[in-house]
Amino acid sequence: MQLLQIIAAFAAVGLTWYIGSLVSTYLQARKMGFPIVITPVNPHSVPWMIFSVPLQPFFKRFLPTSIFVRIELSTIGFEHRVRNMTLERFGPSYVLVGPGAMEFWTTDLEIAKAVANNKDVPLSTISKKFMDLFGTSVLTAQGESWQRQRRIIAPIINEGISKSVWQEGIKQAFDMLDSYTANPANGHANGSAKIQVRSGTTNESIEGLRRIAINVLNAVGYGKPQEWGERENKAPTGYKLSYTESLFAIINNMAAAAFVPPWLLHLPVFPSKVRSIGTAVEEYPRHTRSMVAHERITADPSKNNMMSVIVRLSDQEKKANTKPAAKSRLYLSEEEILGNLFIFTLAGFDTTANTMTYALTNLAMYPQWQDWIIEEIDHVMPNTTEQPAYDKTFPHLKRVLALMFETLRLYTPVVHLAREPFHPLTLTSSKGTQHTIPAHTDMFVSMSMIHVDPTRWAPDPVAFRPSRWLKAQTVQRQDGTSEVVETLIEPAKGTFMPWSTGPRYCPGMKMSQVEFVSVFASLFARARVEPVVGECKTLEEARVRLGGVLEDSVPLIALQMNRPRDVVLRWVRRD
């Protein structure tokens, strides 16, 4: 009886706190002047962030719709699933209120630009916890530290790096295609010789593209080229995981890696997969420090991969500047080197890799867009036996770049910008109304929802249509004749932000574009791809099934498919 009374007392205290914190947060949110959505959970709770995504299908199945909608809006990655629902029900901005937590969400263009362009409004505390896992970086630094790191990092990702990315992307793409299909007889795409068409079926195309992305990053970023079909050797002496194994364990379990101490993850009550996360968090920085130390020992001025340049410039500046506190110093601390290399890896691998996987799956679903890019590729790259020059080829593959833009629009890798003001922040909406955001309120600019806003992308905001990015123009030649050329359309400022916007835009934007274009131009210069019917009755059903795989996605670091091996494709050579 006494035990029941104790339990009842604790329950009463918990309920009192729950109601009190919910009411208190609600009253604070009302002052902001936006619609309010009440959720029964605290979206900032670490257990919620870890378990809400895997539990989402159960919530959807068993909870009443009225409750599930509120739960859904508290779950990581909801933007991709609900698309325009919040805009239709709550308008362009609203406040999500839970017990002890408040979030401001917006797709309002004026507010979005004001938040993104304000370099004094830093990343939210939660986002910094993710991004600063192994050290501060150009993405998270503030003030003088950000300016210094930006001056060092931005020039490193230059045209020399783009050329290396182009060459490595082509090589990796050709190797992947050769692995999935038999090598064709000698011949050319222009029909000058008869060839035997070969094909291959695989459920590893998504993994294959991710392997391309990590190999390009390793070659260009770290000076460690690797064949597409080559697997990383087992963990070196003194490690339980290889570099790639530790990286993937962190990327695929970012919430646990960022918020749960490694010692806790190591407890024997957890399965080996969970314990490996703790191992990865401990070993990844050791792997990176080892690579940096090896770079210093084998210093070679001719090496121009990103890690070599960062380490070389930092070490040279340290020797020249004996006053570490000086504002003029242009080197990175050891922690900053580690932090920036980690961010390079996330941005250079995960976002680009997943963009390629969504683009490929959409091309398999909509073969008319394969025809569309192949027409351009055959014109720009008529000889598939030689590697095309970067400077003479990349600028002319506008349709392939449009394919990337449309994929980024519908499958935005980083679904929102997360900011947290240190002081109250007054914002003016597109309607001219002013609103004050309290200090330390988590603010989210939902790029994923801005990218499908029907007021900006009508008449078909959620349709996959890469041609929307191009317009035809008639150009007069010097000889008096004319030709029709296609040019890329520049969307209105703030309506397309896959690489963020403002002073903190991603410095690797051009690098990712070059990698995407090099890989897709190479693949479709030599092949086509189609869904495998399998258990489906028709090809159309197979395409619908692929659509279901695309929608079953969640952002870990970047948006990615939950069931990549359900993408079963047939590669058919055409060279």
Side-chain angles (χ1 to χ4, degrees), residues 261-332:
W263 66 264
L264 186 58
L265 294 169
H266 280 308
L267 292 178
V269 296
F270 292 120
S272 59
K273 183 178 179 180
V274 173
R275 295 198 300 272
S276 70
I277 302 171
T279 302
V281 172
E282 293 172 337
E283 293 190 348
Y284 177 82
R286 288 179 54 206
H287 278 294
T288 308
R289 290 191 185 97
S290 177
M291 289 191 291
V292 170
H294 183 265
E295 184 62 38
R296 288 193 168 108
I297 294 172
T298 60
D300 182 353
S302 66
K303 292 170 66 175
N304 288 312
N305 64 74
M306 287 187 288
M307 182 178 70
S308 298
V309 175
I310 287 175
V311 172
R312 185 165 64 244
L313 290 178
S314 291
D315 288 355
Q316 288 173 353
E317 187 68 19
K318 283 179 186 177
K319 293 178 182 178
N321 190 339
T322 57
K323 298 179 180 180
K327 291 185 178 181
S328 62
R329 69 183 179 97
L330 280 178
Y331 65 84
L332 302 177

Side-chain angles (χ1 to χ4, degrees), residues 504-519:
R504 290 182 180 270
Y505 78 92
C506 175
M509 177 177 68
K510 177 68 176 293
M511 176 179 166
S512 66
Q513 293 175 2
V514 172
E515 180 175 348
F516 182 98
V517 171
S518 69
V519 170

Side-chain angles (χ1 to χ4, degrees), residues 125 195 238 424 465 472 545:
T125 302
I195 63 173
R465 184 168 61 86
R545 181 190 62 191

Side-chain angles (χ1 to χ4, degrees), residues 460-529:
D460 52 355
V462 296
F464 184 79
R465 184 168 61 86
S467 62
R468 76 173 77 236
W469 292 93
L470 296 176
K471 62 180 178 181
Q473 290 181 318
T474 301
V475 178
Q476 297 295 324
R477 296 193 183 100
Q478 290 183 347
D479 61 4
T481 62
S482 62
E483 66 173 333
V484 177
V485 298
E486 293 176 328
T487 57
L488 285 163
I489 293 173
E490 178 106 11
K493 190 173 182 180
T495 61
F496 184 61
M497 302 182 289
W499 291 282
S500 188
T501 188
R504 290 182 180 270
Y505 78 92
C506 175
M509 177 177 68
K510 177 68 176 293
M511 176 179 166
S512 66
Q513 293 175 2
V514 172
E515 180 175 348
F516 182 98
V517 171
S518 69
V519 170
F520 275 76
S522 301
L523 290 175
F524 289 92
R526 294 186 175 184
R528 297 182 62 91
V529 69

Side-chain angles (χ1 to χ4, degrees), residues 163-179 211-212 215-216 219 224-230 381 386-388 515 518-523 526:
K163 183 177 180 180
S164 298
V165 168
W166 175 263
Q167 294 169 342
E168 189 65 26
I170 291 173
K171 176 182 178 298
Q172 293 287 331
F174 283 164
D175 287 349
M176 184 184 92
L177 187 59
D178 286 343
S179 176
R211 199 180 308 161
I212 286 177
N215 286 354
V216 169
K224 296 182 178 297
Q226 185 167 300
E227 297 296 323
W228 180 86
E230 180 184 354
M381 301 167 52
E386 297 180 3
Q387 186 174 95
E515 180 175 348
S518 69
V519 170
F520 275 76
S522 301
L523 290 175
R526 294 186 175 184

Side-chain angles (χ1 to χ4, degrees), residues 370-382:
Q370 288 188 62
D371 297 335
W372 187 68
I373 65 168
I374 285 173
E375 181 182 23
E376 176 184 73
I377 292 167
D378 285 351
H379 176 71
V380 176
M381 301 167 52

Side-chain angles (χ1 to χ4, degrees), residues 202-263:
T202 179
N203 67 347
E204 296 183 354
S205 297
I206 303 305
E207 179 185 338
L209 289 174
R210 290 174 66 83
R211 199 180 308 161
I212 286 177
I214 194 67
N215 286 354
V216 169
L217 177 68
N218 284 340
V220 177
Y222 296 98
K224 296 182 178 297
Q226 185 167 300
E227 297 296 323
W228 180 86
E230 180 184 354
R231 297 295 191 272
E232 186 180 19
N233 294 329
K234 63 181 182 179
T237 303
Y239 294 83
K240 295 180 180 179
L241 300 174
S242 67
Y243 169 80
T244 303
E245 288 172 336
S246 62
L247 172 65
F248 284 3
I250 292 168
I251 288 176
N252 294 331
N253 304 277
M254 196 64 188
F259 292 102
V260 183
W263 66 264

Side-chain angles (χ1 to χ4, degrees), residues 33 50 108 111 192 204 223 230 239 251 297 333 349 358 372 393 403 469 507 525 549:
I50 294 174
D108 184 289
I111 293 178
S192 60
E204 296 183 354
E230 180 184 354
Y239 294 83
I251 288 176
I297 294 172
S333 67
F349 162 66
Y358 285 110
W372 187 68
T393 309
L403 168 67
W469 292 93
V549 176

